[in-house]
Amino acid sequence: MLYYIFRWLDQFGISGSHLWGYISFRAILAMILALVVSAWFGERFIKYLKSKQITETQRDAAIDPFGVKKIGVPSMGGIIIIVALLIPVLLLGRLRNTYLLLMVGTTLWLGFLGGMDDFIKIFRHDKEGLKGKYKIVGQVTIGLIVGLVLWASPDVKANLNLEVANQNGQEVVVKHETKAEKTLKTTIPFVKSHNLDYSEIVGFLGKYKTAGGWILFVIMTIFVVTAVSNGANLNDGMDGMCAGNSAVIGVVLGILAYVSSHIQFAAYLNIMYIPGSEELVVFFMAFIGALIGFLWYNAYPAQVFMGDTGSLTIGGIIAVGAIIIHKELLLPILCGIFFVESLSVIVQVWYYKLGKRKGVKQRIFKRTPIHDNFRTQDSQLDPECKYLVKVPHGAVHESKITLRFIIVTILLAALTIITLKIR
């Protein structure tokens, strides 16, 4: 909104209005505004949640061995993140941008889905919340919508990166195709000069391989959105953990969106140039600011929990942002913590069921998701159950676990960026 006003004023030579044409100016302003809104609105919203008793009502005290009382802490704090994110985006972003509209739509959709889950938990006192099948349907639906829009929209194009040898053949120069076009290619980490082409995977379809490639792309979009949003949801189990990890991930996605929208930087990193993706920089800077402001209240000991309203939204934002800039194959590295959290639950359930069929009570970890394994004391374990992994033997304080997980995410974030140059 403000972008269009100041760009119009720039035509009349109004001092300072030209700054709104710079993506760096709008992005930094978006982060500052999101942080301020998150901090200011957060304090008032927390008081409102307490007054209406919209608080945590059920909590397994066994997983909190250090005696911090979680019951009674306001939940649904994800609304703080969503409000603080959308206000600067709507004020400072170019709202006619397809990519930005997809990000806003994803935020609202998954925010509503997570809000329904929190509503059922809090107001209906149902610990399970929204049934899993309905969550999956909601996640699959937004993934389908995003995939189909990226397939059908004429505005979604990219200039493919090409390696061209100079005249003496001794040096390779990366250039981009002069014309932007729709593409099914995506960046592969660690592999030099290669993009994965979804249509080549289904090359056996012959003349129908392009259509088959887009179908595969839509399926991949659904899978990525569902997997990352669930991973973020599982990671939201300790004060400040999901918000802290996601802020680091948001920094990397903001950087990748910026270099993808800058043809010289895209050539330097040998990645495709994506016109229009600069608006994602504004979005992710606002995302970072909103999360940092939320951490002011969510850091240990938390004054508010984000709930599924926040965690499902955060995961969806990360997934859709990566898909738009053709970097979804970097997510297993960048979101390594989310991946390990999900994997720990999957293998734990599989191993337990395997033992059950044999009449043996067994588990791999003391508890899952994996962060709970580190704060579980040996005295809390089932003496009739066999555990493959019993370390650490004592419980680690959750603030230390959170900080260590964030440090790991910082390392993975650095590795994600490095992969683009060590190819």
Side-chain angles (χ1 to χ4, degrees):
M1 186 183 299
L2 291 179
Y3 167 81
Y4 295 105
I5 294 173
F6 280 95
R7 292 300 285 170
W8 176 74
L9 291 174
D10 191 35
Q11 299 176 14
F12 303 97
I14 304 298
S15 179
S17 57
H18 68 285
L19 292 173
W20 294 78
Y22 295 101
I23 194 66
S24 55
F25 174 77
R26 289 192 290 126
I28 293 172
L29 197 59
M31 183 182 72
I32 295 172
L33 181 58
L35 199 158
V36 171
V37 171
S38 184
W40 178 84
F41 173 67
E43 181 180 4
R44 286 151 182 79
F45 189 65
I46 290 170
K47 290 179 180 178
Y48 172 80
L49 292 174
K50 286 182 177 179
S51 68
K52 298 297 181 182
Q53 295 186 334
I54 304 175
T55 59
E56 189 82 7
T57 58
Q58 300 183 57
R59 191 83 176 191
D60 184 0
I63 64 173
D64 295 313
F66 295 97
V68 178
K69 295 181 179 180
K70 306 282 186 176
I71 295 177
V73 175
S75 190
M76 296 186 77
I79 294 174
I80 299 171
I81 299 171
I82 294 171
V83 171
L85 167 61
L86 291 182
I87 287 177
V89 167
L90 295 177
L91 287 176
L92 306 174
R94 288 196 297 121
L95 300 181
R96 298 171 188 171
N97 183 279
T98 301
Y99 301 136
L100 194 62
L101 290 175
L102 280 176
M103 297 302 292
V104 171
T106 300
T107 302
L108 293 173
W109 184 287
L110 289 176
F112 175 77
L113 184 69
M116 289 296 295
D117 184 72
D118 289 334
F119 178 86
I120 293 171
K121 288 178 180 176
I122 295 170
F123 293 98
R124 296 187 179 178
H125 305 287
D126 185 348
K127 187 178 179 181
E128 299 303 318
L130 188 66
K131 290 185 178 179
K133 62 181 179 181
Y134 296 128
K135 275 189 187 179
I136 295 296
V137 169
Q139 292 166 325
V140 168
T141 301
I142 189 60
L144 179 63
I145 292 171
V146 170
L148 290 176
V149 170
L150 293 176
W151 178 1
S153 175
D155 298 327
V156 178
K157 295 180 179 179
N159 298 66
L160 294 177
N161 48 308
L162 304 169
E163 287 192 348
V164 181
N166 62 7
Q167 293 181 350
N168 57 24
Q170 295 180 350
E171 184 179 356
V172 174
V173 179
V174 177
K175 295 185 177 181
H176 288 90
E177 292 185 352
T178 56
K179 184 179 180 181
E181 59 184 23
K182 296 193 77 66
T183 180
L184 280 164
K185 292 186 177 181
T186 189
T187 302
I188 304 178
F190 301 111
V191 180
K192 182 179 176 64
S193 308
H194 280 86
N195 292 324
L196 173 70
D197 193 329
Y198 286 109
S199 64
E200 294 301 323
I201 297 177
V202 292
F204 58 87
L205 295 176
K207 64 179 181 179
Y208 301 108
K209 70 175 185 179
T210 300
W214 279 111
I215 292 171
L216 180 60
F217 168 77
V218 172
I219 294 172
M220 182 67 172
T221 300
I222 293 170
F223 172 76
V224 171
V225 170
T226 304
V228 179
S229 59
N230 282 329
N233 185 232
L234 290 172
N235 187 236
D236 180 34
M238 291 186 178
D239 298 350
M241 179 174 286
C242 184
N245 286 319
S246 300
V248 174
I249 294 169
V251 170
V252 175
L253 290 176
I255 292 172
L256 293 176
Y258 182 73
V259 298
S260 296
S261 68
H262 193 293
I263 196 164
Q264 283 84 16
F265 291 156
Y268 175 72
L269 292 172
N270 195 1
I271 58 176
M272 62 188 75
Y273 165 60
I274 308 169
S277 62
E278 66 274 3
E279 292 306 311
L280 294 183
V281 182
V282 176
F283 187 94
F284 277 111
M285 290 294 278
F287 179 66
I288 295 163
L291 288 173
I292 293 173
F294 179 74
L295 272 171
W296 186 268
Y297 305 105
N298 185 239
Y300 181 89
Q303 296 170 255
V304 65
F305 299 138
M306 68 170 65
D308 284 16
T309 308
S311 59
L312 289 180
T313 305
I314 285 171
I317 287 171
I318 291 169
V320 174
I323 291 165
I324 288 174
I325 59 175
H326 301 265
K327 300 296 180 288
E328 64 270 19
L329 297 184
L330 297 179
L331 288 180
I333 303 172
L334 179 59
C335 300
I337 288 294
F338 294 171
F339 176 73
V340 171
E341 295 272 40
S342 299
L343 186 62
S344 67
V345 173
I346 292 170
V347 297
Q348 182 88 323
V349 172
W350 167 80
Y351 191 69
Y352 182 80
K353 289 183 177 179
L354 183 65
K356 193 174 182 180
R357 287 198 293 267
K358 298 177 182 179
V360 178
K361 204 171 184 180
Q362 60 183 21
R363 290 183 175 88
I364 297 178
F365 305 105
K366 292 188 285 185
R367 286 183 188 272
T368 56
I370 193 65
H371 61 257
D372 278 334
N373 178 77
F374 298 103
R375 65 172 171 185
T376 303
Q377 298 173 332
D378 288 353
S379 59
Q380 296 174 286
L381 302 181
D382 184 350
E384 298 179 359
C385 183
K386 297 180 179 179
Y387 297 88
L388 286 182
V389 178
K390 296 183 72 173
V391 292
H393 292 293
V396 180
H397 198 283
E398 73 170 83
S399 60
K400 180 171 286 189
I401 299 171
T402 296
L403 184 58
R404 287 176 175 175
F405 271 50
I406 293 174
I407 291 171
V408 171
T409 298
I410 292 172
L411 295 175
L412 293 173
L415 178 61
T416 300
I417 296 175
I418 290 172
T419 60
L420 299 178
K421 283 307 295 178
I422 64 177
R423 295 184 295 167

